[in-house]
Amino acid sequence: MFEKEFLEEEERLKREWKELYDRFYKDKEFKAVTDSDIPVKSVYTAKDLEEIGFRPEMPGIYPYTRGIYPVQYQFTPWFNNLVLGYGLPEQTRERMDLLKEMGARGYFGKDAYNLVFDLVAKAGYDPDDPEVTGRVGVAGCHFATQDDFDRLFHDIDLTKVSVVQNICRATLVEIAMYIAYLEKRGIPITKVYGNSMNWLWSFAFLGNVAFPPKSAFKLMAEFIKYCCRNMPQWNHTNITSYYVEESGGNAVQEAGYAISAGIALTEECIRAGLDPDEFLPRFGFQIAQAGDFFEEVAKVRAMRRVWAKVNKERFGCKNPRSLHLRMHSQTSGVTLTAQQPLNNVIRTTLQTLGAVLSGTNSIQTNSYLEALSTPTEESHILALRTQQIILHETNIPNVSDPLAGSYYVEWLTGKVEEEVFGIIKLIDEKGGFRKCWESGWFKDEITKSAYQWREKVASGQKTIVGLNKYVTEKEQKVPVFKYPEIEEEAIRRLKEYKEKRDNKKLEGALKRLKEVAVMVDETWPEHSGELMPAVIDAARAEATLGELQGVLKEVFGWA
């Protein structure tokens, strides 16, 4: 792509540079690798781009390496997608209102919230279950009944806000309850915006109990089918690769495993009778923005390119939106340290900057307290201010994909793409994503990666400031979040909810739900599309989160 004269001039300069190098450093070599162990040179040139077959690209045009829109933040800033949730719904609502007051906004300046539910709800339990004692309202907002939705949203026009609902393994059930709640308020489900996680696939490498692989893909596809046919503005699926890096994997593994998961889910949806162009436009990704600055930027650019190529070449998608990798970037929690926690402000700022330079669509800047506690009001606002300063004071958002053309970034983008396609090919050869999940291959690979990282830190090969170098004896004290004691009140509310409903009607709805669930499971995919309506009917009969999820666990397995 470069003119002959340009390359000849570059060769002349490289010879001159080599003479200078030899004079200064003699035979010393400077070797380095990225955090994914990709060897890198100390200098890159146009010749490196020639060797990877670099081609000119523009934002908004296939294969979308430079972004999915023709212009990026000049049109609309990224979504300040800060995760929030703790205690009872009304306590979470206080934090929602605070962040809104501090200027947190979604696309086009709309109100938007990124709600995370507590550990109890995420696993699909009610607060009175002995299994969850001591965890109600921890690491998220308590949620068990439709009344809890009302405590959160009672005075909000849900057709004008975007709500991310992070409830993990209970996605299908929670949205059924949300639909029943919307109906009570007279809000058409065709008019609501938001995101569901639908990330049952991620338990291929997470250690929690969950639906087994075969059932997980059925349930994810079932949920997608319902949303495609009934909730046209709802983003039904979030391919959260974030937890690959949080579990100890590297950037290349994160990208490769995530896109392989997307491939497996696409194939399952096709088996359920959906056309890829019907559901892929509503897929999104949640991506880690970790410590290796340029590799993380290159990862994001490469993922956009790989996703577009896979969906075009493998699935024959025609709709350009099916090729778009929409993403939410989250700064890396695993890179934050409990030692000298104020250093985490610098880490999250750099990672937020990397996310912006990579052209992400939405950003969660973690609180600097992440290694110690849930965000306090002060640390939450500081995380928001980090994004606002980058947006308003740096002029960085004035240009789309400003790192394009950098010899190193373009070379590394090409290299990460090559590595990611290598992982996809390897997973295909092993029988696909589900087979790899069933065999434990993902956990083995991530465990190896985590061990290698730990060995580097222990040996000093990898420096973590304040952890294994520049350590200080004096403890840096910071105020941490203290959870309110809410478990007793949550259980009291649940009891009251059960007493006021028509339990005979509920019994019939749950019986019908189990019959449909068994049929869908045993005949899959013949009766795909019939489960979600049965869950919604049971939700209309005032079933609780734990009761609905309990039926699915019993039928589809839980281990």
Side-chain angles (χ1 to χ4, degrees), residues 27-259:
D27 57 352
K28 184 176 177 59
E29 288 187 81
F30 296 93
K31 293 184 177 180
V33 295
T34 68
D35 279 353
S36 296
D37 274 337
I38 296 174
V40 294
K41 302 186 295 185
S42 51
V43 176
Y44 283 81
T45 68
K47 186 73 181 298
D48 294 296
L49 299 191
E50 288 274 310
E51 289 176 357
I52 64 167
F54 176 74
R55 303 291 303 169
E57 292 187 35
M58 286 296 287
I61 296 176
Y62 181 85
Y64 307 105
T65 310
R66 303 192 59 190
I68 61 175
Y69 303 120
V71 295
Q72 189 77 16
Y73 308 130
Q74 308 89 58
F75 181 55
T76 183
W78 60 86
F79 178 176
N80 305 130
N81 208 348
L82 299 177
V83 173
L84 59 95
Y86 69 92
L88 294 168
E90 56 267 39
Q91 292 162 333
T92 289
R93 176 61 190 270
E94 289 176 5
R95 190 62 63 89
M96 289 164 60
D97 292 342
L98 173 69
L99 292 176
K100 177 184 174 182
E101 183 185 346
M102 292 297 110
R105 291 293 183 272
Y107 302 122
F108 304 104
K110 289 184 177 178
D111 292 344
Y113 306 100
N114 186 353
L115 294 176
V116 60
F117 294 99
D118 67 6
L119 298 173
V120 176
K122 279 183 170 180
Y125 290 98
D126 284 338
D128 60 349
D129 193 305
E131 290 280 335
V132 300
T133 300
R135 297 179 180 176
V136 180
V138 174
C141 173
H142 163 67
F143 170 76
T145 70
Q146 291 177 55
D147 285 355
D148 291 326
F149 275 133
D150 204 49
R151 294 180 178 105
L152 275 170
F153 301 132
H154 58 94
D155 57 349
I156 295 176
D157 183 347
L158 292 170
T159 65
K160 294 182 178 173
V161 301
S162 177
V163 183
V164 178
Q165 300 186 15
N166 180 349
I167 200 164
C168 197
R169 287 159 283 179
T171 292
L172 189 149
V173 161
E174 186 261 354
I175 289 298
M177 295 172 73
Y178 189 54
I179 290 168
Y181 170 68
L182 292 170
E183 289 174 350
K184 280 184 181 174
R185 286 188 53 184
I187 300 172
I189 63 172
T190 54
K191 293 188 175 180
V192 292
Y193 301 83
N195 288 61
S196 289
M197 298 299 101
N198 197 24
W199 58 26
L200 300 180
W201 70 275
S202 62
F203 294 90
F205 47 85
L206 295 176
N208 312 65
V209 291
F211 293 109
K214 190 174 181 181
S215 295
F217 277 96
K218 289 179 190 174
L219 291 169
M220 287 188 286
E222 189 72 12
F223 179 70
I224 291 168
K225 190 167 189 174
Y226 179 84
C227 291
C228 285
R229 303 287 165 83
N230 299 278
M231 302 177 77
Q233 301 184 107
W234 194 260
N235 294 315
H236 46 65
T237 300
N238 179 282
I239 306 287
T240 178
S241 55
Y242 178 76
Y243 291 113
V244 174
E245 285 208 45
E246 291 293 288
S247 301
N250 60 44
V252 169
Q253 287 174 318
E254 178 193 356
Y257 297 173
I259 292 178

Side-chain angles (χ1 to χ4, degrees), residues 511-546:
K511 181 172 181 289
R512 172 62 181 155
L513 169 58
K514 184 175 178 181
E515 290 170 352
V516 173
V518 169
M519 177 183 68
V520 168
D521 183 43
E522 292 181 349
T523 65
W524 182 262
E526 182 182 351
H527 289 280
S528 68
E530 297 186 31
L531 177 62
M532 189 70 185
V535 181
I536 296 169
D537 281 343
R540 290 179 180 126
E542 310 285 359
T544 66
L545 179 78

